[in-house]
Amino acid sequence: MKNKFHLFLILCFLFNMAGYSQSTVFESLSFESNKLGRKVSYSIYLPSDYNTSKRNYPVLYLLHGYTDNETNWIQMGQMKTIADRAIANEEAVPMIIVMPDAWDTWYINQYDGKAPYEDMFFEELIPYMEKTYRIRGKKESRAIAGLSMGGYGSFLYSLHHPDMFCACAPLSAAVFDDTVMEARKARSHKDLFNRLFGPGDEHWQQNNVLKILSGWDQNDLPKIRYYIDCGDDDGLLDGNMQVHQIMRQKGIKHEFRVRDGGHSWTYWRTALPEVLKFVSQAFCRS
């Protein structure tokens, strides 16, 4: 029994030395947003050598889905374990990962100005993170990814602010064409989407990923690396396929994956290692 206990201690030591458990995650921290008039919660992943080095790190903003919050990528997505393993195996570079709470904002500026979440993200959240943590504050060291509603948000932010990110990785992105959006505003998401996008069509079109992509100047394409991933059993696959087709027509370089699976954490957990690898390559090549 004593020998087994000693072996357990040795294995724990080696496990720690391998870098799998030395990183730090802080859940549900917050800062005061003047634009939203409330506190914004966030969780953050700091790599294993953060407290022993003086270096600055690239950053990945990792966005949650509808009905989730700043903790779900950690609690359900096993983000810490996956990131620790990827970094320890040198499949990803050490990076800071920021996971902000977005409630049900869909990551947009609400049409009536009452909840300008997108403005908060770029004018308050990013500056706060770069002031508070040792984050490299340039495009080539900043990436964004997310799932479902967060996949839509990451797509939208890369198109509205192409000078801010070197890589974007939407997973199972909630990208809708006009027909789907009309149906959701009329039925399944009636109260939510009418509150966010308002009456009529104008504000929706300003935040319509497919329309923005379709209207992109062929001679001024976004210099962002894209990694798009959606399950073959996911109800959102059609919107992602439309994005893929538009990008092909426009000549926008991207990687597109359709794997076995649906709209679930099982799928997103298997996607995250490739996302970390992809954004790491963008950090190194920029």
Side-chain angles (χ1 to χ4, degrees):
M1 190 69 179
K2 183 182 291 185
N3 289 337
K4 289 183 178 179
F5 180 69
H6 287 161
L7 179 60
F8 173 76
L9 291 178
I10 291 170
L11 289 174
C12 287
F13 174 77
L14 292 175
F15 192 69
N16 287 336
M17 289 298 290
Y20 284 84
S21 61
Q22 297 176 22
S23 65
T24 306
V25 167
F26 295 98
E27 290 190 29
S28 301
L29 304 176
S30 66
F31 74 96
E32 195 70 40
S33 167
N34 292 325
K35 289 189 173 295
L36 297 179
R38 62 179 295 181
K39 289 185 177 181
V40 176
S41 297
Y42 67 93
S43 296
I44 190 165
Y45 168 93
L46 302 176
S48 60
D49 61 349
Y50 185 84
N51 290 322
T52 58
S53 76
K54 295 183 179 179
R55 61 176 294 198
N56 292 340
Y57 295 84
V59 61
L60 170 64
Y61 289 90
L62 189 58
L63 310 184
H64 68 74
Y66 179 53
T67 74
D68 289 346
N69 59 39
E70 77 281 359
T71 68
N72 284 81
W73 266 112
I74 299 167
Q75 299 296 338
M76 301 296 292
Q78 300 176 8
M79 183 280 304
K80 182 181 186 301
T81 300
I82 292 170
D84 285 349
R85 184 182 299 120
I87 293 171
N89 292 339
E90 298 185 350
E91 295 170 350
V93 300
M95 69 182 78
I96 291 173
I97 303 175
V98 178
M99 296 152 280
D101 190 8
W103 310 284
D104 62 358
T105 61
W106 229 255
Y107 296 95
I108 69 166
N109 288 335
Q110 190 167 306
Y111 84 100
D112 55 8
K114 290 183 178 179
Y117 189 91
E118 182 176 350
D119 288 349
M120 181 282 300
F121 192 97
F122 287 91
E123 297 175 28
E124 293 182 326
L125 176 68
I126 289 179
Y128 177 84
M129 293 300 160
E130 294 180 356
K131 179 181 178 181
T132 307
Y133 303 96
R134 297 201 311 276
I135 290 174
R136 296 177 191 166
K138 294 184 178 180
K139 168 180 175 167
E140 57 264 27
S141 298
R142 187 186 301 117
I144 191 164
L147 67 88
S148 194
M149 180 183 84
Y152 164 79
S154 60
F155 242 140
L156 187 70
Y157 286 1
S158 74
L159 297 172
H160 279 179
H161 308 269
D163 58 332
M164 291 294 289
F165 303 104
C166 66
C168 175
L171 307 176
S172 309
V175 174
F176 310 135
D177 60 25
D178 289 341
T179 300
V180 172
M181 188 59 174
E182 287 174 8
R184 290 185 177 242
K185 285 186 75 173
R187 293 188 292 275
S188 63
H189 292 68
K190 182 176 181 180
D191 293 338
L192 174 65
F193 281 174
N194 281 284
R195 171 169 59 83
L196 294 176
F197 295 100
D201 197 43
E202 181 179 1
H203 197 66
W204 158 240
Q205 294 304 335
Q206 292 172 1
N207 294 280
N208 182 343
V209 166
L210 296 173
K211 181 176 177 60
I212 297 169
L213 275 174
S214 297
W216 205 279
D217 186 344
Q218 196 81 23
N219 298 314
D220 188 27
L221 298 175
K223 295 179 176 63
I224 299 173
R225 293 180 173 87
Y226 283 98
Y227 181 91
I228 304 163
D229 187 0
C230 189
D232 58 358
D233 295 322
D234 195 317
L236 297 175
L237 179 59
D238 184 61
N240 285 262
M241 292 287 290
Q242 291 184 60
V243 166
H244 171 56
Q245 290 299 327
I246 294 171
M247 284 186 155
R248 288 187 64 186
Q249 294 167 4
K250 289 282 185 179
I252 299 174
K253 294 182 180 180
H254 64 289
E255 295 190 25
F256 181 59
R257 301 286 183 272
V258 178
R259 299 180 293 115
D260 181 35
H263 204 74
S264 70
W265 279 108
T266 301
Y267 190 87
W268 300 320
R269 283 192 294 266
T270 61
L272 186 56
E274 290 302 315
V275 169
L276 297 176
K277 181 179 179 180
F278 181 80
V279 301
S280 294
Q281 292 169 348
F283 293 151
C284 293
R285 293 175 184 172
S286 296

